[in-house]
Amino acid sequence: MLVFLLRNLTTRVGILLILALFLSRIGIFRKLVSKENINIKEKVLLSIIFGGFGIIGTYSGIHIQGAIVNSRVIGVFVGGLLGGPMVGALSGIIAGGHRYIIDIGGFTAFACTISTLVEGIMAGLLKKRFENTSRRVAFSLIYGGIAELIQMIIILLVAKPLSDSLLLVRTIGIPMITANAIGIAFFIAITDTIFKEIENEAVYQAQLALKIADKTLAYFRKGFNEETARDTAKIIYEMTNIKAVAFTDTEKILAHVGIGEDHHLSGSPIKTNLTREALQTNKYIVANVQDEIGCENHQCPLKSAIIVPIREEDKAIGILKLYKGKENSITKVEIELALGLAQIFSTQIELSKIDYQRELLSRSELKALQSQINPHFLFNAINTIVSLTRTQPDDARRLLIHLGNYFRTNLQQELDVVDLHREIEHINSYVEIEKARFGDKLEIFYNIPEDIDCMLPPLIIQPLVENAIKHGVLGKVEGGKVEIIAENNEDETKLIVKDNGVGISEEDLKYLFAGDSHRERIGIKNVNERLKNKYGPKYGLKIESELNKGTIVTIVIPKY
């Protein structure tokens, strides 16, 4: 009997999994499963889908001893894991309620109804732990088995007489626990393929964002106006499957390319309340349906949108909008694409506010230092941020802020001297991006007194920290640590950048400040010359280093 039940139940579970595989190819299901946050309407829809799976599991069950050996729990439990407590509970009510209705007064009808609801709620409560584990299939297998074990306990507690329920559990317990736990695990494996495919799409979108950034780099450097907005919108429209791209400033539409351009005209006032809200709150907004967009033209073909502020010094100065022609069609990948582009465009627009090339020519000591800003750093940083967008979106947003702050500070050095704490903030933005890339291989320690009063030339310490990371600690397989220290003395401030990296040979130290220095040494040479030019020959860099032990670089800033 045990082998018979296990074989037949496995066959029925297989039928459910075939249906699940088919469902995973349907666009609306893929979208619902992959969305980070789903609204009430979408949760109800998911509940109906997974509750329906539970009903199919009941109808495909095997009648034995006044009960039904079934796979009802698979749909309900998976629904809870993917959709949370509400989906788990609603799908449990749907599937459990159906089980009770078709066998009112049956031996196990009430027990099965209760157990189905309990298992759905249990799965919903496990959602956060499920999302945080790297072994989702194993997690669902184990907890699926536990859920079915709970069902057996509920049957023993509720179904009467106890002798009959005990005999039933002995007969069906092992087959149902085994087959349904495996079925839940396989169902989760099927849904995980959706996430894998979306990840692959995200990689493509990341590459696309870099290509768009490369092609649009020259435009917003000329200013944020109708001409540059139109040229940029055309590039985005042509390179993506977005149905319309629009830019606004704080009052009017600068450009609209794609569907709806017959009435969303360049130069006309902003038409939608959602755009005004995004400008006012300085936060991005997703419109899933046409009514949320709020266009006054009832024939408008724009059905959903992602609306992202473009900022200058954290103030919204305009909007980037990506539109779709179908409702509920904005995916997480497109949200991250829009956020990434808006961040890049914000940086480009800020660059347009300063005559950067003229500044470099007039401040020769910064020219070589600025040339050290490697474009690969930007691309590596964006790739790192993209890799975090699905699993750690908060970290991705934090790194985007650091990236913007880093380039803003690099490109807006208008003062002869800055406060030490401002310089440390700039260093911290650079460091946070590098730590996200290299993880445990890189440790950074700050020992900066809060009450320290030190004014120093801008971009003096950061090249030293960058050198310590790139050519010091990352030269070791195991990585290492960098310490940034400030010592406040009566007539001077001593600043130290110390690492335990690969060190510098005595031969290389002799030629470190030579005129024919290698390119990677230009940053250190530049810092040394700027210090001596400003404070005098004795205030140049002091470098102590030993191979395989590390390097200590000291700056002395006089207080006068």
Side-chain angles (χ1 to χ4, degrees), residues 369-370 373 377 402-411 413 418-433 446 458-463 466:
L369 182 60
Q370 294 287 22
I373 300 173
F377 172 75
H402 281 303
L403 183 62
N405 290 341
Y406 173 80
F407 278 95
R408 181 186 301 119
T409 304
N410 266 299
L411 300 170
Q413 294 300 342
V418 296
D419 182 78
L420 173 61
H421 291 289
R422 178 177 173 181
E423 184 80 352
I424 294 299
E425 288 176 3
H426 170 62
I427 293 169
N428 186 58
S429 292
Y430 170 79
V431 163
E432 287 299 315
I433 294 168
Y446 297 90
L459 299 179
I460 281 289
I461 307 177
Q462 189 273 335
E466 181 175 349

Side-chain angles (χ1 to χ4, degrees), residues 48-92:
I48 294 172
I49 292 172
F50 287 112
F53 265 92
I55 292 173
I56 294 172
T58 298
Y59 276 130
S60 62
I62 305 164
H63 291 265
I64 183 172
Q65 298 178 14
I68 303 175
V69 182
N70 64 86
S71 53
R72 178 174 54 254
V73 69
I74 294 177
V76 174
F77 201 81
V78 171
L81 289 179
L82 296 178
M86 180 177 173
V87 175
L90 284 179
S91 57

Side-chain angles (χ1 to χ4, degrees), residues 115-132:
S115 63
T116 303
L117 178 59
V118 168
E119 288 173 293
I121 295 173
M122 171 186 170
L125 296 175
L126 289 170
K127 175 178 168 61
K128 288 187 178 180
R129 291 182 60 185
F130 170 72
E131 289 176 338
N132 292 331

Side-chain angles (χ1 to χ4, degrees), residues 174-467:
I174 293 177
M176 286 188 64
I177 292 172
T178 303
N180 287 336
I182 293 173
I184 290 169
F186 270 98
F187 202 137
I188 291 299
I190 290 171
T191 60
D192 276 353
T193 62
I194 298 175
F195 291 107
K196 295 291 183 184
E197 291 169 1
I198 290 173
E199 283 181 359
N200 292 336
E201 184 181 351
V203 172
Y204 168 76
Q205 292 281 26
Q207 296 171 344
L208 182 62
L210 291 177
K211 291 178 181 178
I212 292 172
D214 182 58
K215 285 183 175 293
T216 61
L217 185 62
Y219 292 111
F220 284 140
R221 288 290 298 272
K222 299 175 183 177
F224 187 45
N225 52 53
E226 291 187 20
E227 181 181 356
T228 58
R230 183 178 65 254
D231 291 337
T232 304
K234 285 181 178 178
I235 290 173
I236 299 173
Y237 178 73
E238 291 169 357
M239 295 183 66
T240 66
N241 63 349
I242 298 299
K243 297 304 180 183
V245 180
F247 286 97
T248 78
D249 58 17
T250 56
E251 297 178 352
K252 64 181 183 298
I253 299 172
L254 296 179
H256 187 107
V257 177
I259 61 174
E261 62 185 358
D262 58 327
H263 60 281
H264 290 266
L265 302 175
S266 299
S268 61
I270 293 173
K271 292 183 175 298
T272 64
N273 291 328
L274 217 56
T275 301
R276 297 186 187 93
E277 181 182 344
L279 285 167
Q280 184 176 0
T281 62
N282 201 11
K283 295 179 180 179
Y284 81 89
I285 301 173
V286 177
N288 289 308
V289 296
Q290 185 178 19
D291 288 344
E292 291 179 357
I293 295 176
C295 179
E296 296 174 355
N297 187 328
H298 298 296
Q299 303 301 318
C300 183
L302 305 174
K303 305 298 183 182
S304 56
I306 166 69
I307 301 166
V308 186
I310 295 174
R311 302 181 177 93
E312 182 182 335
E313 295 183 355
D314 296 327
K315 179 182 178 181
I317 61 168
I319 291 292
L320 165 65
K321 297 187 280 189
L322 305 183
Y323 290 105
K324 286 293 201 70
K326 294 182 180 179
E327 293 189 343
N328 295 299
S329 59
I330 298 295
T331 67
K332 184 178 178 181
V333 172
E334 287 154 348
I335 292 173
E336 296 303 333
L337 173 64
L339 291 173
L341 289 176
Q343 180 68 28
I344 292 170
F345 296 155
S346 296
T347 302
Q348 292 176 4
I349 291 168
E350 288 194 3
L351 297 181
S352 72
K353 301 300 181 181
I354 58 174
D355 190 349
Y356 180 50
Q357 294 299 328
R358 182 179 298 175
E359 182 182 68
L360 290 182
L361 290 173
S362 63
R363 299 174 64 183
S364 58
E365 71 271 22
L366 277 178
K367 184 175 181 180
L369 182 60
Q370 294 287 22
S371 72
Q372 282 290 88
I373 300 173
N374 193 332
H376 291 293
F377 172 75
L378 172 61
F379 296 140
N380 289 334
I382 292 176
N383 280 331
T384 300
I385 292 166
V386 168
S387 70
L388 295 173
T389 54
R390 189 179 74 83
T391 57
Q392 302 174 59
D394 289 338
D395 288 342
R397 284 189 285 271
R398 179 177 59 82
L399 289 179
L400 275 173
I401 293 172
H402 281 303
L403 183 62
N405 290 341
Y406 173 80
F407 278 95
R408 181 186 301 119
T409 304
N410 266 299
L411 300 170
Q412 288 186 335
Q413 294 300 342
E414 301 156 342
L415 303 174
D416 289 332
V417 292
V418 296
D419 182 78
L420 173 61
H421 291 289
R422 178 177 173 181
E423 184 80 352
I424 294 299
E425 288 176 3
H426 170 62
I427 293 169
N428 186 58
S429 292
Y430 170 79
V431 163
E432 287 299 315
I433 294 168
E434 294 292 67
K435 284 172 66 177
R437 288 182 60 203
F438 298 108
D440 295 335
K441 287 189 66 176
L442 180 60
E443 294 181 273
I444 307 292
F445 297 93
Y446 297 90
N447 186 1
I448 312 292
E450 291 185 1
D451 60 347
I452 196 166
D453 183 16
C454 175
M455 302 297 290
L456 73 165
L459 299 179
I460 281 289
I461 307 177
Q462 189 273 335
L464 307 181
V465 175
E466 181 175 349
N467 189 72

Side-chain angles (χ1 to χ4, degrees), residues 88-147:
L90 284 179
S91 57
I93 290 172
I94 291 170
H98 168 266
R99 171 67 180 88
Y100 184 78
I101 291 172
I102 65 171
D103 188 26
I104 297 176
F107 169 47
T108 60
F110 187 57
C112 289
T113 299
I114 294 175
S115 63
T116 303
L117 178 59
V118 168
E119 288 173 293
I121 295 173
M122 171 186 170
L125 296 175
L126 289 170
K127 175 178 168 61
K128 288 187 178 180
R129 291 182 60 185
F130 170 72
E131 289 176 338
N132 292 331
T133 183
S134 59
R135 299 180 177 179
R136 291 156 60 101
V137 173
F139 182 96
S140 56
L141 176 68
I142 293 170
Y143 281 98
I146 293 173

Side-chain angles (χ1 to χ4, degrees), residues 29-64:
F29 180 76
R30 292 168 62 85
K31 178 178 178 296
L32 288 173
V33 169
S34 63
K35 283 187 69 174
E36 183 178 354
N37 297 305
I38 56 178
N39 57 40
I40 298 296
K41 181 180 177 181
E42 292 166 335
K43 287 181 179 180
V44 171
L45 181 56
L46 273 180
S47 301
I48 294 172
I49 292 172
F50 287 112
F53 265 92
I55 292 173
I56 294 172
T58 298
Y59 276 130
S60 62
I62 305 164
H63 291 265
I64 183 172

Side-chain angles (χ1 to χ4, degrees), residues 497-524:
V497 177
K498 179 179 179 182
D499 70 74
N500 63 348
V502 297
I504 306 171
S505 68
E506 290 185 6
E507 186 70 14
D508 285 341
L509 274 175
K510 292 179 182 178
Y511 300 100
L512 195 59
F513 301 131
D516 59 348
S517 290
H518 296 301
R519 181 170 178 81
E520 60 265 23
R521 296 173 183 167
I522 291 178
I524 288 182

